[in-house]
Every structure is written in C-alpha cells, then in structure tokens.
C-alpha cells in the first residue's frame, strides 16, 4: 500500500495532538513557518497541512491571532471506523459530495461532512482528492458528464445552440449548487464541460466570422445560461426556509408594493401586476434564450 504523502502524515500528527489534549481548544497551532521548521518540509507542504486540518474542522483562522484549535475539539470516540475507507474510491467521494450538495446546498459541503456521509475518517479523502476546491470541480464535471451531447448534431446552428443551452439549464435545475462552481472568467479543467464549448464553436465556425467572434458568442451563451441559473439555489433555499413558493411570497408582500402602485409613479409595473403575471424562471430562461439567438442570427447566417 502506498504511503500517505508528507502533508497528510504531518496533519495526522497534529490531529493526534489535538485529540490527546496536547493542543487545547482555542490554543494556537504551529504556524505554516513553524510546521515547515519542525517537520523539515517546504512551506507549500506546510500550507497544505493547515488546509487539511481546516477542511476537517479541527482548526480555524482567527484575525490578528492566527490559526487555533476549533472549539469544541472533535472526540476520538466519534471518529468513524477506519476499515470503511478501504473500499473508498474517487467516484464514491464525488458522488457522496454531489448527494450532499443536492440535499443541503453547497455551503454545507466540507471534507468533513463528505467523510461523515461515507462513514470514513476525513483524512482518508485526501488520498483521492486534494481538497474541497478540487472536489467541487470533480463534482461539476461529473454532472456535465451525465448530460451528453448527441453524436449527430441537429442540422442548423440555432438548433444546436438551443440543445446545448437547454442541456446546461437542465443540469443547473437538477443541481442548484452547480452555477456557483462554474466560472465564466477563469477556465477550469473540466473535460466534460469543454465538450459543450467545442459543440457551440463547431456549430458557429463555418459562418464567415472570425474565431474570436465565435468564441465571444460561446461565452455569451454560456454566461447567459449560467447567469440565469444562479438564481435557482437561492430560491430553493428560500422556499425551504419560508415554506413559500416564489408566487406565494410575492402575494405575501402585496401590501408592501401597494404604496408604490398607488403613487402612480410606476405605470408599467402597475399594468403588469394588474394582469396577474406569474413569474416562472423556466419561461424567463426560454424567452431570453430565443432573443439571444435572434441576435446571433445577425452574425451567423
């Protein structure tokens, strides 16, 4: 069996000190520089030690103080059985994380909560993923892998873009945490999402436009779908918190809008309210998608 990397061995030693009471709740743990000096490792390795302990919830950063032992310190009696980690795989870790985020939101996700879901020690996860950031990317890519584009595309560029946009929307709808993981401005190593980008650019590249224009169109479409989808998770959480759907919440706020309507200062808004307009995010998405593609049609004939 392969030996754990140095940062995990050091993190395990510091965890032992915490659980043994050698480092008590609220006390400072060795700094990155102190860890590097004590264990003879590079600063980068020492930084990963602190990150691993933080992910597990054993330590926390306190402004102007440093990194301290979290309160209360976890008990050794509550640790999961270690033999469960023998059957752990990266796919199992990723799926458990997806299930957790689907059920409780991405904010509830940590290396510690995923480990609890799997019934394994938190440190065992680091043999499969480097931390929460990498885990998030693996989760997102796994979701996009389940939304596969067909081998034979529809005959027109517009139909192809409609298909990929609706497929992304379906992924965001099924996993409301997903839009917050995907970046518009910083490319991420997600091969399955890259297939979506390739699909869009191939659909548009033979219509007389420069490659840069084709790429801008891809980013615009991707940004529109993601930008609309970022509203899904807050609404899901708000409905769970209040027990009210979006329409029910608006009805409950009717008295608050009364003075604005009665003032006559917002006639267009008043006319909309008088028609009992039902807000539906899926309809908003579809309306915006068609208007966006109408604009693309000026360029891609």
């Amino acid at each position: 069996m392969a030996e754990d990397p140095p940062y995990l061995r050091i993190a395990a030693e510091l965890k032992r000190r915490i659980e043994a009471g050698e480092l008590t709740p609220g006390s400072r743990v060795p700094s990155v520089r102190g860890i590097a000096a004590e264990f003879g490792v590079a600063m980068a390795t020492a930084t990963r030690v602190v990150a691993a302990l933080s992910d597990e919830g054993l330590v926390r950063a306190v402004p102007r103080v440093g990194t301290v032992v979290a309160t209360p310190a976890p008990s050794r009696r509550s640790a999961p059985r270690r033999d469960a980690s023998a059957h752990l795989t990266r796919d199992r870790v990723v799926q458990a994380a997806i299930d957790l985020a689907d059920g409780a939101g991405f904010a509830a996700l940590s290396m510690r909560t995923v480990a609890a879901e799997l019934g394994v020690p938190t440190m065992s996860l680091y043999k499969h993923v480097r931390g929460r950031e990498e885990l998030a990317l693996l989760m997102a890519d796994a979701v996009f892998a389940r939304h596969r584009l067909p081998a034979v595309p529809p005959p027109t560029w517009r139909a192809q873009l409609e298909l990929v946009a609706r497929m992304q929307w379906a992924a965001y709808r099924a996993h409301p945490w997903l839009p917050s993981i995907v970046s518009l401005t910083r490319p991420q190593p997600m091969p399955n999402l890259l297939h979506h980008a390739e699909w869009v650019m191939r659909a548009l590249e033979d219509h007389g436009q420069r490659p840069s224009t084709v790429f801008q169109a891809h980013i615009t479409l991707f940004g529109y779908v993601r930008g609309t989808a970022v509203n899904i998770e807050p609404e899901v959480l708000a409905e769970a918190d209040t027990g009210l759907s979006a329409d029910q919440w608006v009805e409950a706020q009717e008295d608050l809008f009364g003075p604005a309507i009665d003032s006559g200062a917002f006639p267009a808004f008043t006319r909309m309210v008088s028609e009992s307009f039902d807000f539906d995010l899926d309809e908003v998405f579809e309306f915006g998608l068609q208007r966006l593609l109408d604009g693309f049609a000026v360029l891609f004939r």
Side-chain angles (χ1 to χ4, degrees):
M1 182 179 295
E3 189 178 40
D4 287 342
Y7 83 95
L8 282 184
R9 296 200 300 272
I10 298 169
E13 166 57 20
L14 293 177
K15 178 180 180 179
R16 183 199 65 76
R17 296 179 189 178
I18 292 170
E19 293 178 335
E22 297 172 21
L23 293 170
T24 58
S27 65
R28 290 189 61 181
V29 298
S31 65
V32 170
R33 190 176 299 277
I35 292 171
E38 178 180 352
F39 293 94
V41 295
M43 294 286 284
T45 299
T47 299
R48 295 186 70 183
V49 171
V50 176
L53 293 170
S54 178
D55 280 343
E56 192 170 353
L58 291 167
V59 302
R60 62 187 180 90
V62 177
R64 295 186 295 277
V65 174
T67 301
V68 303
V69 177
T71 305
S75 168
R76 189 181 289 272
R77 289 191 300 273
S78 65
R81 293 182 298 110
R82 294 188 179 275
D83 57 359
S85 63
H87 305 289
L88 201 59
T89 65
R90 172 178 279 195
D91 287 345
R92 284 191 63 206
V93 172
V94 171
Q95 185 56 54
I98 290 173
D99 292 342
L100 185 63
D102 285 348
F106 189 75
L109 185 75
S110 69
M111 299 296 278
R112 192 176 186 183
T113 55
V114 173
E117 185 82 2
L118 290 164
V120 299
T122 305
M123 288 298 179
S124 66
L125 300 187
Y126 290 93
K127 297 178 181 179
H128 305 280
V129 295
R130 288 193 293 268
R132 188 173 185 261
E133 183 176 346
E134 183 187 41
L135 179 57
L137 293 181
L138 292 170
M139 292 164 60
D141 203 43
V143 168
F144 285 115
R146 300 168 189 174
H147 292 76
R148 294 189 180 278
L149 294 158
V152 179
T156 67
W157 68 261
R158 183 164 185 143
Q160 292 174 46
L161 267 57
E162 286 178 342
L163 190 154
V164 73
R166 289 170 183 153
M167 190 168 288
Q168 290 172 11
W169 181 252
Y172 293 139
R173 265 301 198 187
H175 307 280
W177 49 269
L178 183 58
S180 66
I181 303 304
V182 180
S183 174
L184 179 68
T185 57
R186 300 192 177 194
Q188 297 162 302
M190 289 192 282
N192 291 299
L193 183 56
L194 189 58
H195 284 304
H196 287 223
E198 180 74 7
W199 173 279
V200 172
M201 290 188 284
R202 283 188 177 183
L204 299 176
E205 66 181 355
D206 293 328
H207 293 272
Q209 296 296 330
R210 294 164 55 89
S212 59
T213 301
V214 170
F215 180 72
Q216 293 280 21
H218 150 61
I219 291 296
T220 301
L221 179 65
F222 176 77
Y224 167 71
V225 181
R226 176 187 175 274
T228 307
V230 296
N231 298 285
I232 297 173
E233 185 174 40
E235 175 55 30
V236 169
L237 296 176
E239 187 166 337
D241 185 49
T242 64
L244 300 175
S245 69
D247 287 339
Q248 290 171 331
W249 183 87
V250 170
E251 290 175 6
Q253 310 304 311
E254 193 170 324
D255 291 344
L256 298 180
F257 290 103
I261 294 173
D262 295 340
S263 71
F266 308 97
F269 179 75
T270 301
R271 285 191 291 273
M272 184 275 296
V273 172
S274 69
E275 292 183 7
S276 299
F277 172 75
D278 291 328
F279 182 86
D280 185 299
L281 195 58
D282 293 303
E283 291 183 5
V284 170
F285 162 73
E286 190 62 35
F287 177 87
L289 174 63
Q290 295 306 321
R291 303 298 74 77
L292 183 62
L293 297 181
D294 288 345
F296 280 12
V298 175
L299 296 172
F300 306 101
R301 298 181 185 277

